[in-house]
Coordinates of all heavy atoms in Angstrom, one line a residue:
M46 N -63.5 -25.6 -120.6 CA -62.9 -26.9 -120.7 C -61.7 -27.0 -121.6 O -60.7 -27.6 -121.2 CB -64.0 -27.9 -121.2 CG -63.5 -29.3 -121.3 SD -63.3 -29.9 -119.6 CE -63.3 -31.6 -119.8
K47 N -61.7 -26.2 -122.7 CA -60.6 -26.2 -123.6 C -59.4 -25.6 -122.9 O -58.2 -26.0 -123.1 CB -60.9 -25.4 -124.9 CG -61.8 -26.1 -125.8 CD -62.0 -25.3 -127.1 CE -62.9 -25.9 -128.0 NZ -63.2 -25.1 -129.2
K48 N -59.6 -24.5 -122.1 CA -58.5 -23.9 -121.4 C -57.9 -24.8 -120.4 O -56.7 -24.8 -120.2 CB -59.0 -22.6 -120.7 CG -59.3 -21.4 -121.6 CD -59.7 -20.2 -120.8 CE -60.0 -19.1 -121.8 NZ -60.4 -17.9 -121.0
L49 N -58.7 -25.6 -119.7 CA -58.2 -26.6 -118.7 C -57.3 -27.6 -119.4 O -56.2 -27.9 -118.9 CB -59.4 -27.2 -118.0 CG -59.0 -28.3 -117.0 CD1 -58.2 -27.7 -115.9 CD2 -60.3 -29.0 -116.5
I50 N -57.8 -28.1 -120.5 CA -57.0 -29.2 -121.2 C -55.7 -28.6 -121.8 O -54.7 -29.1 -121.6 CB -57.9 -29.8 -122.4 CG1 -59.0 -30.6 -121.8 CG2 -57.0 -30.6 -123.3 CD1 -60.0 -31.1 -122.8
L51 N -55.8 -27.4 -122.3 CA -54.6 -26.7 -122.8 C -53.6 -26.4 -121.7 O -52.4 -26.6 -121.8 CB -55.0 -25.4 -123.5 CG -53.8 -24.6 -124.1 CD1 -53.1 -25.4 -125.2 CD2 -54.3 -23.3 -124.8
G52 N -54.1 -26.0 -120.6 CA -53.2 -25.8 -119.4 C -52.6 -27.0 -118.9 O -51.4 -27.0 -118.6
M53 N -53.3 -28.2 -118.9 CA -52.7 -29.4 -118.5 C -51.6 -29.9 -119.5 O -50.6 -30.4 -119.1 CB -53.8 -30.5 -118.4 CG -54.7 -30.3 -117.2 SD -56.2 -31.4 -117.2 CE -55.4 -33.0 -117.1
I54 N -51.8 -29.7 -120.8 CA -50.8 -30.0 -121.8 C -49.6 -29.2 -121.6 O -48.5 -29.7 -121.6 CB -51.4 -29.9 -123.2 CG1 -52.5 -31.0 -123.4 CG2 -50.3 -30.0 -124.3 CD1 -53.3 -30.8 -124.7
L55 N -49.8 -27.9 -121.5 CA -48.6 -27.0 -121.3 C -47.8 -27.3 -120.0 O -46.6 -27.3 -120.0 CB -49.1 -25.6 -121.3 CG -49.5 -25.0 -122.6 CD1 -50.1 -23.6 -122.4 CD2 -48.4 -25.0 -123.6
C56 N -48.5 -27.7 -118.9 CA -47.9 -28.0 -117.7 C -47.1 -29.3 -117.9 O -45.9 -29.4 -117.4 CB -48.9 -28.2 -116.6 SG -48.2 -28.5 -115.0
S57 N -47.7 -30.3 -118.5 CA -47.0 -31.6 -118.8 C -45.7 -31.3 -119.6 O -44.7 -31.9 -119.4 CB -47.9 -32.6 -119.5 OG -49.0 -32.9 -118.6
A58 N -45.8 -30.5 -120.7 CA -44.7 -30.3 -121.5 C -43.6 -29.5 -120.8 O -42.4 -29.8 -120.9 CB -45.1 -29.4 -122.7
T59 N -44.0 -28.6 -119.9 CA -43.0 -27.9 -119.1 C -42.2 -28.9 -118.2 O -41.0 -28.8 -118.0 CB -43.6 -26.8 -118.3 OG1 -44.3 -25.9 -119.2 CG2 -42.6 -26.0 -117.5
M60 N -42.9 -29.8 -117.6 CA -42.3 -30.7 -116.7 C -41.3 -31.6 -117.4 O -40.2 -31.9 -116.9 CB -43.4 -31.6 -116.0 CG -44.1 -30.8 -114.9 SD -45.5 -31.8 -114.2 CE -44.7 -33.2 -113.6
I61 N -41.7 -32.1 -118.6 CA -40.8 -32.9 -119.4 C -39.5 -32.1 -119.8 O -38.4 -32.7 -119.7 CB -41.5 -33.4 -120.7 CG1 -42.6 -34.4 -120.2 CG2 -40.6 -34.1 -121.6 CD1 -43.6 -34.8 -121.3
I62 N -39.7 -30.9 -120.2 CA -38.6 -30.1 -120.7 C -37.6 -29.8 -119.5 O -36.4 -29.9 -119.6 CB -39.0 -28.8 -121.3 CG1 -39.7 -29.2 -122.7 CG2 -37.9 -27.9 -121.6 CD1 -40.4 -28.0 -123.3
S63 N -38.2 -29.4 -118.4 CA -37.4 -29.0 -117.2 C -36.6 -30.2 -116.6 O -35.5 -30.1 -116.1 CB -38.2 -28.3 -116.2 OG -39.1 -29.1 -115.6
C64 N -37.3 -31.4 -116.5 CA -36.6 -32.5 -115.9 C -35.7 -33.2 -116.9 O -34.6 -33.5 -116.5 CB -37.7 -33.5 -115.5 SG -38.7 -32.9 -114.2
G65 N -36.1 -33.4 -118.1 CA -35.2 -34.0 -119.1 C -34.9 -35.4 -118.8 O -35.2 -35.9 -117.7
P66 N -34.3 -36.1 -119.7 CA -34.0 -37.5 -119.5 C -32.8 -37.6 -118.5 O -31.9 -36.7 -118.5 CB -33.6 -38.0 -120.9 CG -33.2 -36.8 -121.6 CD -34.0 -35.7 -121.0
K67 N -32.7 -38.6 -117.8 CA -31.5 -38.9 -116.9 C -30.9 -40.2 -117.3 O -31.5 -41.1 -117.6 CB -31.9 -38.9 -115.5 CG -32.4 -37.5 -115.0 CD -32.5 -37.5 -113.5 CE -32.9 -36.1 -113.0 NZ -32.9 -36.0 -111.6
S68 N -29.6 -40.2 -117.3 CA -28.8 -41.4 -117.6 C -28.6 -42.1 -116.3 O -28.4 -41.5 -115.2 CB -27.5 -41.0 -118.2 OG -26.7 -42.2 -118.4
V69 N -28.7 -43.4 -116.3 CA -28.5 -44.2 -115.1 C -27.4 -45.2 -115.3 O -27.4 -46.3 -114.7 CB -29.8 -44.9 -114.7 CG1 -30.9 -43.9 -114.2 CG2 -30.4 -45.8 -115.8
A70 N -26.5 -44.9 -116.2 CA -25.5 -45.9 -116.6 C -24.5 -46.2 -115.5 O -24.0 -47.3 -115.3 CB -24.7 -45.4 -117.8
V71 N -24.2 -45.2 -114.6 CA -23.1 -45.3 -113.7 C -23.7 -45.7 -112.3 O -24.6 -45.1 -111.8 CB -22.4 -44.0 -113.5 CG1 -21.3 -44.0 -112.5 CG2 -21.8 -43.6 -114.9
T72 N -23.1 -46.7 -111.7 CA -23.4 -47.1 -110.4 C -22.2 -47.2 -109.5 O -22.2 -47.4 -108.3 CB -24.2 -48.5 -110.3 OG1 -23.4 -49.5 -111.0 CG2 -25.5 -48.4 -111.0
G73 N -21.0 -47.2 -110.2 CA -19.7 -47.3 -109.5 C -18.6 -47.4 -110.5 O -18.9 -47.4 -111.7
P74 N -17.4 -47.5 -110.1 CA -16.3 -47.6 -111.1 C -16.3 -48.9 -111.9 O -16.7 -49.9 -111.5 CB -15.0 -47.6 -110.2 CG -15.5 -47.7 -108.8 CD -16.9 -47.5 -108.8
K75 N -15.9 -48.7 -113.2 CA -15.9 -49.9 -114.1 C -14.6 -49.9 -114.9 O -13.9 -50.9 -115.0 CB -17.1 -49.8 -115.0 CG -17.2 -50.9 -116.1 CD -18.4 -50.7 -116.9 CE -18.5 -51.7 -118.0 NZ -19.7 -51.5 -118.9
Y76 N -14.2 -48.7 -115.5 CA -13.0 -48.6 -116.3 C -11.8 -48.1 -115.4 O -11.9 -47.0 -114.9 CB -13.2 -47.7 -117.5 CG -14.3 -48.1 -118.4 CD1 -15.5 -47.4 -118.5 CD2 -14.2 -49.3 -119.2 CE1 -16.5 -47.8 -119.4 CE2 -15.2 -49.7 -120.0 CZ -16.3 -49.0 -120.1 OH -17.3 -49.4 -121.0
T77 N -10.7 -48.9 -115.4 CA -9.6 -48.5 -114.5 C -8.3 -48.4 -115.2 O -7.3 -48.0 -114.6 CB -9.5 -49.4 -113.3 OG1 -9.4 -50.8 -113.8 CG2 -10.8 -49.3 -112.4
S78 N -8.2 -48.9 -116.5 CA -6.9 -48.9 -117.2 C -6.5 -47.4 -117.5 O -7.4 -46.6 -117.6 CB -7.0 -49.7 -118.4 OG -7.7 -49.0 -119.5
S79 N -5.3 -47.2 -117.6 CA -4.8 -45.8 -117.9 C -5.3 -45.3 -119.2 O -5.6 -44.1 -119.4 CB -3.3 -45.7 -117.8 OG -2.7 -46.6 -118.7
E80 N -5.5 -46.2 -120.2 CA -6.0 -45.8 -121.5 C -7.5 -45.4 -121.4 O -7.9 -44.4 -122.0 CB -5.9 -47.0 -122.5 CG -4.5 -47.3 -122.9 CD -3.9 -48.4 -121.9 OE1 -4.6 -49.0 -121.2 OE2 -2.7 -48.4 -121.9
Q81 N -8.3 -46.2 -120.6 CA -9.7 -45.8 -120.4 C -9.9 -44.5 -119.7 O -10.7 -43.7 -120.0 CB -10.4 -47.0 -119.7 CG -10.5 -48.2 -120.6 CD -10.9 -49.4 -119.8 OE1 -10.5 -49.6 -118.7 NE2 -11.6 -50.3 -120.4
L82 N -9.0 -44.3 -118.6 CA -9.1 -43.1 -117.9 C -8.7 -41.9 -118.7 O -9.3 -40.8 -118.6 CB -8.3 -43.2 -116.6 CG -8.7 -44.2 -115.6 CD1 -7.7 -44.3 -114.4 CD2 -10.1 -44.0 -115.1
A83 N -7.7 -42.1 -119.6 CA -7.3 -41.0 -120.5 C -8.4 -40.7 -121.5 O -8.7 -39.5 -121.8 CB -6.0 -41.4 -121.2
Q84 N -9.1 -41.7 -121.9 CA -10.3 -41.5 -122.8 C -11.4 -40.7 -122.1 O -12.0 -39.8 -122.6 CB -10.8 -42.9 -123.2 CG -11.1 -42.9 -124.7 CD -11.6 -44.4 -125.1 OE1 -11.3 -45.4 -124.4 NE2 -12.3 -44.4 -126.1
G85 N -11.6 -41.1 -120.8 CA -12.6 -40.4 -120.0 C -12.2 -38.9 -119.8 O -13.1 -38.0 -119.9
K86 N -10.9 -38.6 -119.6 CA -10.5 -37.2 -119.5 C -10.7 -36.5 -120.8 O -11.2 -35.3 -120.7 CB -9.0 -37.2 -119.1 CG -8.5 -35.8 -119.0 CD -7.0 -35.8 -118.7 CE -6.5 -34.3 -118.6 NZ -5.1 -34.2 -118.4
T87 N -10.4 -37.1 -121.9 CA -10.6 -36.4 -123.2 C -12.1 -36.1 -123.4 O -12.5 -35.0 -123.9 CB -10.1 -37.3 -124.3 OG1 -8.7 -37.5 -124.1 CG2 -10.3 -36.7 -125.7
I88 N -13.0 -37.1 -123.1 CA -14.4 -36.9 -123.3 C -14.9 -35.8 -122.4 O -15.7 -34.9 -122.8 CB -15.2 -38.2 -123.0 CG1 -14.8 -39.3 -124.0 CG2 -16.7 -38.0 -123.0 CD1 -15.2 -40.7 -123.6
F89 N -14.4 -35.8 -121.1 CA -14.8 -34.8 -120.1 C -14.4 -33.4 -120.7 O -15.2 -32.5 -120.7 CB -14.1 -35.1 -118.8 CG -14.2 -34.0 -117.8 CD1 -15.4 -33.7 -117.2 CD2 -13.0 -33.3 -117.4 CE1 -15.4 -32.7 -116.2 CE2 -13.1 -32.3 -116.4 CZ -14.3 -32.0 -115.8
E90 N -13.2 -33.3 -121.1 CA -12.7 -32.0 -121.6 C -13.4 -31.5 -122.8 O -13.7 -30.3 -122.9 CB -11.2 -32.0 -121.8 CG -10.4 -32.2 -120.5 CD -8.9 -32.4 -120.7 OE1 -8.5 -32.8 -121.9 OE2 -8.2 -32.3 -119.8
N91 N -13.7 -32.4 -123.7 CA -14.3 -32.0 -125.0 C -15.8 -31.8 -124.9 O -16.4 -30.9 -125.6 CB -14.0 -33.0 -126.1 CG -12.5 -33.0 -126.5 OD1 -11.8 -32.0 -126.3 ND2 -12.0 -34.1 -126.9
S92 N -16.5 -32.6 -124.2 CA -17.9 -32.6 -124.1 C -18.4 -31.6 -123.1 O -19.3 -30.8 -123.4 CB -18.5 -34.0 -123.7 OG -18.2 -34.9 -124.7
C93 N -17.9 -31.5 -121.9 CA -18.4 -30.6 -120.9 C -18.0 -29.2 -121.2 O -18.8 -28.3 -120.8 CB -17.9 -31.1 -119.5 SG -18.3 -32.8 -119.1
N94 N -16.9 -29.0 -121.8 CA -16.4 -27.7 -122.1 C -17.2 -26.9 -123.2 O -17.1 -25.7 -123.4 CB -14.9 -27.7 -122.5 CG -14.2 -26.5 -122.2 OD1 -14.6 -25.7 -121.3 ND2 -13.1 -26.2 -122.9
R95 N -18.1 -27.7 -123.9 CA -18.9 -27.1 -124.9 C -19.9 -26.1 -124.3 O -20.2 -25.1 -125.0 CB -19.7 -28.1 -125.7 CG -18.8 -28.9 -126.6 CD -19.7 -29.9 -127.4 NE -18.8 -30.9 -128.0 CZ -19.3 -32.1 -128.3 NH1 -20.5 -32.5 -128.0 NH2 -18.4 -33.0 -128.9
C96 N -20.4 -26.4 -123.2 CA -21.5 -25.5 -122.6 C -21.1 -24.7 -121.4 O -21.7 -23.7 -121.1 CB -22.7 -26.4 -122.2 SG -23.4 -27.3 -123.6
H97 N -20.0 -25.1 -120.7 CA -19.7 -24.4 -119.5 C -18.2 -24.7 -119.1 O -17.6 -25.6 -119.7 CB -20.6 -24.8 -118.3 CG -20.6 -26.3 -118.0 ND1 -19.6 -26.9 -117.4 CD2 -21.6 -27.2 -118.3 CE1 -19.9 -28.2 -117.3 NE2 -21.1 -28.4 -117.8
K98 N -17.7 -23.9 -118.2 CA -16.3 -24.1 -117.7 C -16.2 -25.5 -117.0 O -17.2 -25.9 -116.4 CB -16.1 -23.0 -116.7 CG -14.7 -23.0 -116.1 CD -14.5 -21.8 -115.2 CE -13.6 -22.1 -114.1 NZ -13.5 -21.2 -113.0
L99 N -15.1 -26.1 -117.2 CA -14.9 -27.4 -116.6 C -14.9 -27.4 -115.1 O -14.2 -26.6 -114.5 CB -13.6 -28.1 -117.1 CG -13.6 -28.5 -118.6 CD1 -12.2 -29.0 -118.9 CD2 -14.7 -29.5 -118.9
P100 N -15.7 -28.2 -114.4 CA -15.7 -28.2 -113.0 C -14.5 -28.9 -112.4 O -13.9 -29.8 -113.1 CB -17.0 -29.0 -112.6 CG -17.2 -29.8 -113.8 CD -16.7 -29.1 -115.0
D101 N -14.1 -28.5 -111.3 CA -13.0 -29.1 -110.6 C -13.4 -30.6 -110.2 O -14.5 -30.7 -109.6 CB -12.6 -28.3 -109.3 CG -11.5 -28.9 -108.5 OD1 -10.9 -30.0 -108.9 OD2 -11.1 -28.3 -107.5
P102 N -12.6 -31.6 -110.5 CA -13.0 -33.0 -110.2 C -13.2 -33.1 -108.7 O -14.0 -34.0 -108.2 CB -11.8 -33.8 -110.6 CG -11.3 -33.0 -111.8 CD -11.4 -31.6 -111.4
A103 N -12.6 -32.3 -107.9 CA -12.8 -32.4 -106.4 C -14.1 -31.8 -105.9 O -14.4 -31.8 -104.7 CB -11.6 -31.7 -105.7
K104 N -14.8 -31.2 -106.9 CA -16.1 -30.5 -106.5 C -17.1 -31.5 -105.8 O -17.9 -31.1 -105.0 CB -16.7 -29.9 -107.7 CG -18.0 -29.2 -107.5 CD -18.5 -28.5 -108.7 CE -19.8 -27.8 -108.4 NZ -20.3 -27.1 -109.6
H105 N -17.1 -32.7 -106.3 CA -18.0 -33.7 -105.8 C -17.3 -35.0 -105.3 O -16.2 -35.3 -105.8 CB -19.0 -34.2 -106.9 CG -19.9 -33.0 -107.4 ND1 -20.8 -32.4 -106.7 CD2 -19.9 -32.5 -108.7 CE1 -21.4 -31.4 -107.5 NE2 -20.8 -31.5 -108.7
D106 N -18.0 -35.7 -104.5 CA -17.5 -37.1 -104.1 C -18.1 -38.0 -105.2 O -18.7 -37.6 -106.1 CB -17.8 -37.5 -102.7 CG -19.4 -37.5 -102.5 OD1 -20.2 -37.4 -103.4 OD2 -19.8 -37.7 -101.3
D107 N -17.8 -39.3 -105.0 CA -18.3 -40.3 -105.9 C -19.8 -40.2 -106.2 O -20.2 -40.2 -107.3 CB -18.0 -41.8 -105.5 CG -16.5 -42.0 -105.4 OD1 -15.7 -41.1 -105.6 OD2 -16.1 -43.1 -105.1
Q108 N -20.6 -40.2 -105.1 CA -22.0 -40.1 -105.3 C -22.5 -38.8 -105.9 O -23.4 -38.7 -106.7 CB -22.7 -40.3 -103.9 CG -22.6 -41.7 -103.4 CD -23.2 -42.7 -104.4 OE1 -24.4 -42.6 -104.8 NE2 -22.5 -43.8 -104.7
G109 N -21.8 -37.7 -105.6 CA -22.1 -36.4 -106.2 C -21.9 -36.4 -107.7 O -22.7 -35.9 -108.4
W110 N -20.8 -37.1 -108.1 CA -20.6 -37.2 -109.6 C -21.6 -38.1 -110.2 O -22.0 -37.8 -111.4 CB -19.1 -37.7 -109.9 CG -18.2 -36.5 -109.8 CD1 -17.1 -36.4 -108.9 CD2 -18.2 -35.3 -110.5 NE1 -16.4 -35.2 -109.1 CE2 -17.1 -34.5 -110.1 CE3 -19.0 -34.8 -111.5 CZ2 -16.8 -33.3 -110.6 CZ3 -18.7 -33.6 -112.1 CH2 -17.6 -32.8 -111.6
I111 N -22.0 -39.1 -109.6 CA -23.1 -40.0 -110.1 C -24.3 -39.1 -110.4 O -24.9 -39.1 -111.5 CB -23.4 -41.2 -109.2 CG1 -22.3 -42.2 -109.3 CG2 -24.7 -41.8 -109.6 CD1 -22.4 -43.4 -108.4
R112 N -24.7 -38.3 -109.4 CA -25.9 -37.5 -109.6 C -25.7 -36.4 -110.6 O -26.6 -36.2 -111.5 CB -26.3 -36.8 -108.2 CG -26.9 -37.7 -107.2 CD -27.4 -37.0 -106.0 NE -26.4 -36.3 -105.3 CZ -25.6 -36.8 -104.4 NH1 -25.7 -38.0 -104.0 NH2 -24.6 -36.0 -103.8
T113 N -24.6 -35.7 -110.6 CA -24.3 -34.7 -111.6 C -24.3 -35.2 -113.0 O -24.9 -34.7 -113.9 CB -23.0 -33.9 -111.2 OG1 -23.2 -33.4 -109.9 CG2 -22.7 -32.8 -112.2
L114 N -23.5 -36.3 -113.2 CA -23.4 -36.8 -114.5 C -24.7 -37.5 -115.0 O -24.9 -37.4 -116.2 CB -22.2 -37.9 -114.6 CG -20.8 -37.3 -114.4 CD1 -19.8 -38.4 -114.3 CD2 -20.5 -36.4 -115.6
S115 N -25.5 -38.0 -114.1 CA -26.8 -38.6 -114.6 C -27.7 -37.5 -115.2 O -28.5 -37.7 -116.1 CB -27.5 -39.3 -113.5 OG -28.0 -38.4 -112.5
R116 N -27.5 -36.3 -114.7 CA -28.2 -35.1 -115.2 C -27.6 -34.5 -116.4 O -28.3 -34.1 -117.4 CB -28.3 -34.1 -114.1 CG -29.3 -32.9 -114.4 CD -29.4 -31.9 -113.2 NE -28.2 -31.1 -113.2 CZ -27.2 -31.1 -112.3 NH1 -27.3 -32.0 -111.3 NH2 -26.2 -30.3 -112.3
M117 N -26.3 -34.5 -116.5 CA -25.6 -33.8 -117.6 C -25.2 -34.7 -118.8 O -25.1 -34.2 -119.9 CB -24.2 -33.2 -117.0 CG -24.5 -32.2 -115.9 SD -25.5 -30.8 -116.4 CE -24.6 -30.0 -117.6
A118 N -25.0 -35.9 -118.6 CA -24.6 -36.8 -119.7 C -25.6 -36.8 -120.9 O -25.2 -36.7 -122.0 CB -24.4 -38.2 -119.2
P119 N -26.9 -36.8 -120.6 CA -27.9 -36.7 -121.7 C -27.8 -35.4 -122.5 O -27.9 -35.4 -123.7 CB -29.2 -36.9 -121.1 CG -29.0 -37.6 -119.8 CD -27.6 -37.1 -119.3
K120 N -27.5 -34.3 -121.7 CA -27.4 -33.0 -122.4 C -26.2 -33.0 -123.3 O -26.2 -32.3 -124.3 CB -27.3 -31.9 -121.3 CG -28.6 -31.7 -120.5 CD -28.4 -30.7 -119.5 CE -29.7 -30.6 -118.7 NZ -29.6 -29.5 -117.7
A121 N -25.1 -33.7 -122.9 CA -23.9 -33.7 -123.7 C -23.9 -34.8 -124.7 O -23.0 -35.0 -125.5 CB -22.7 -34.0 -122.7
K122 N -25.0 -35.6 -124.7 CA -25.3 -36.7 -125.7 C -24.2 -37.7 -125.6 O -23.6 -38.2 -126.5 CB -25.4 -36.1 -127.1 CG -26.6 -35.2 -127.3 CD -26.7 -34.7 -128.7 CE -27.9 -34.0 -129.0 NZ -28.4 -33.0 -128.2
L123 N -23.8 -38.1 -124.3 CA -22.8 -39.1 -124.1 C -23.5 -40.5 -124.1 O -24.6 -40.6 -123.6 CB -22.2 -38.9 -122.7 CG -21.4 -37.6 -122.4 CD1 -20.8 -37.7 -121.1 CD2 -20.3 -37.4 -123.5
S124 N -22.8 -41.4 -124.7 CA -23.3 -42.8 -124.6 C -23.1 -43.3 -123.2 O -22.4 -42.7 -122.4 CB -22.5 -43.7 -125.6 OG -21.2 -43.8 -125.1
D125 N -23.7 -44.4 -122.9 CA -23.5 -45.0 -121.5 C -22.0 -45.3 -121.2 O -21.5 -45.0 -120.1 CB -24.3 -46.3 -121.3 CG -25.8 -46.0 -121.2 OD1 -26.2 -44.8 -121.0 OD2 -26.6 -47.0 -121.3
D126 N -21.3 -45.8 -122.2 CA -19.8 -46.0 -122.0 C -19.0 -44.7 -121.8 O -18.2 -44.7 -121.0 CB -19.2 -46.8 -123.2 CG -19.6 -48.3 -123.2 OD1 -19.9 -48.8 -122.1 OD2 -19.6 -48.9 -124.2
Q127 N -19.4 -43.7 -122.6 CA -18.7 -42.4 -122.4 C -19.0 -41.8 -121.0 O -18.1 -41.3 -120.4 CB -19.1 -41.4 -123.5 CG -18.6 -41.8 -124.9 CD -19.2 -40.9 -125.9 OE1 -20.4 -40.6 -125.9 NE2 -18.5 -40.5 -126.9
H128 N -20.2 -41.9 -120.6 CA -20.7 -41.5 -119.3 C -19.8 -42.2 -118.2 O -19.3 -41.5 -117.3 CB -22.2 -41.7 -119.2 CG -22.8 -41.4 -117.9 ND1 -24.1 -41.5 -117.7 CD2 -22.2 -41.1 -116.7 CE1 -24.4 -41.1 -116.4 NE2 -23.3 -40.9 -115.8
Q129 N -19.7 -43.5 -118.4 CA -19.0 -44.3 -117.4 C -17.5 -43.9 -117.4 O -16.9 -43.7 -116.3 CB -19.1 -45.8 -117.7 CG -18.4 -46.7 -116.7 CD -19.1 -46.7 -115.4 OE1 -20.3 -47.0 -115.3 NE2 -18.4 -46.5 -114.3
M130 N -16.9 -43.7 -118.5 CA -15.5 -43.3 -118.6 C -15.2 -41.9 -118.0 O -14.2 -41.7 -117.3 CB -15.0 -43.3 -120.1 CG -14.8 -44.7 -120.6 SD -14.2 -44.6 -122.3 CE -14.4 -46.3 -122.8
V131 N -16.1 -41.0 -118.2 CA -16.0 -39.7 -117.6 C -16.1 -39.8 -116.1 O -15.2 -39.2 -115.3 CB -17.1 -38.7 -118.1 CG1 -17.1 -37.4 -117.3 CG2 -16.8 -38.3 -119.6
Y132 N -17.0 -40.5 -115.6 CA -17.2 -40.8 -114.2 C -15.9 -41.4 -113.6 O -15.4 -40.9 -112.6 CB -18.4 -41.7 -113.9 CG -18.5 -42.1 -112.4 CD1 -18.9 -41.3 -111.4 CD2 -18.1 -43.4 -112.1 CE1 -18.9 -41.7 -110.1 CE2 -18.1 -43.8 -110.7 CZ -18.5 -42.9 -109.8 OH -18.6 -43.3 -108.5
D133 N -15.4 -42.4 -114.2 CA -14.2 -43.1 -113.7 C -13.0 -42.2 -113.7 O -12.2 -42.3 -112.8 CB -14.0 -44.4 -114.5 CG -15.1 -45.5 -114.3 OD1 -15.8 -45.4 -113.3 OD2 -15.1 -46.4 -115.1
Y134 N -12.9 -41.4 -114.7 CA -11.8 -40.4 -114.8 C -11.9 -39.5 -113.6 O -10.9 -39.2 -112.9 CB -11.8 -39.6 -116.1 CG -11.0 -38.4 -116.0 CD1 -9.6 -38.4 -115.8 CD2 -11.7 -37.1 -115.9 CE1 -8.9 -37.2 -115.6 CE2 -11.0 -35.9 -115.8 CZ -9.6 -36.0 -115.6 OH -8.9 -34.8 -115.4
L135 N -13.1 -38.9 -113.4 CA -13.3 -37.9 -112.3 C -13.0 -38.5 -110.9 O -12.3 -37.8 -110.1 CB -14.7 -37.3 -112.4 CG -14.9 -36.4 -113.6 CD1 -16.4 -36.1 -113.7 CD2 -14.1 -35.1 -113.5
I136 N -13.5 -39.7 -110.7 CA -13.2 -40.3 -109.3 C -11.8 -40.7 -109.2 O -11.2 -40.7 -108.1 CB -14.2 -41.4 -108.9 CG1 -14.1 -42.6 -109.9 CG2 -15.6 -40.8 -108.9 CD1 -14.8 -43.8 -109.3
S137 N -11.1 -41.1 -110.3 CA -9.7 -41.5 -110.2 C -8.8 -40.3 -109.8 O -7.9 -40.4 -109.1 CB -9.2 -42.1 -111.5 OG -9.0 -41.2 -112.5
V138 N -9.2 -39.1 -110.4 CA -8.5 -37.9 -110.1 C -8.7 -37.5 -108.6 O -7.8 -37.0 -108.0 CB -8.9 -36.7 -111.1 CG1 -8.3 -35.4 -110.7 CG2 -8.5 -37.1 -112.5
N139 N -9.9 -37.7 -108.2 CA -10.3 -37.3 -106.8 C -9.5 -38.2 -105.8 O -9.2 -37.7 -104.7 CB -11.8 -37.5 -106.5 CG -12.5 -36.3 -106.7 OD1 -12.0 -35.2 -106.8 ND2 -13.8 -36.4 -106.8
K140 N -9.2 -39.4 -106.1 CA -8.5 -40.3 -105.2 C -7.0 -40.1 -105.1 O -6.4 -40.7 -104.2 CB -8.8 -41.7 -105.6 CG -10.3 -42.0 -105.6 CD -10.7 -43.3 -105.1 CE -12.1 -43.7 -105.2 NZ -13.0 -42.9 -104.4
K141 N -6.5 -39.2 -105.9 CA -5.0 -39.0 -105.9 C -4.6 -38.0 -104.9 O -5.3 -37.2 -104.5 CB -4.5 -38.6 -107.3 CG -4.7 -39.7 -108.3 CD -4.2 -39.3 -109.7 CE -4.4 -40.5 -110.6 NZ -3.9 -40.2 -112.0

């Protein structure tokens, strides 16, 4: 019985660690001023570059960036506003 309970606890802990929290701040564009987009670019370059090479903004469409950033923003410890600014920067670059 102890092995069963211990196994269930370990399995639950593994699921929590592997899934991690997801941010749901972004549902579409919000910040569009050049100052806000410049801020988003700075956050993107400084936060994302800490752990990996910066991805090409053209790598994803709008929905792809929503999914990717919802997974990555918590790891980068971005606030909801920072998350939104990075998203808005990435989609603005894609539209050019």
Side-chain angles (χ1 to χ4, degrees):
M46 183 67 162
K47 286 181 183 180
K48 287 183 181 181
L49 178 62
I50 293 172
L51 182 59
M53 290 171 59
I54 292 171
L55 289 173
C56 183
S57 296
T59 302
M60 287 175 53
I61 291 169
I62 291 168
S63 65
C64 294
K67 290 191 178 186
S68 176
V69 292
V71 176
T72 57
K75 179 178 177 182
Y76 298 113
T77 56
S78 76
S79 57
E80 295 85 20
Q81 292 165 325
L82 295 175
Q84 227 177 334
K86 178 181 181 184
T87 300
I88 295 165
F89 170 70
E90 290 172 346
N91 293 333
S92 297
C93 302
N94 206 24
R95 287 184 196 152
C96 298
H97 55 77
K98 183 177 148 189
L99 292 177
D101 179 359
K104 180 178 181 176
H105 300 295
D106 63 9
D107 295 4
Q108 290 301 310
W110 279 120
I111 287 175
R112 286 188 301 274
T113 299
L114 289 172
S115 71
R116 192 180 74 251
M117 299 304 293
K120 294 178 183 185
K122 296 181 175 44
L123 298 183
S124 70
D125 288 347
D126 283 337
Q127 290 171 322
H128 176 171
Q129 182 72 51
M130 286 181 191
V131 169
Y132 170 77
D133 291 343
Y134 161 70
L135 290 168
I136 64 168
S137 75
V138 173
N139 265 348
K140 300 220 186 292
K141 292 180 181 179

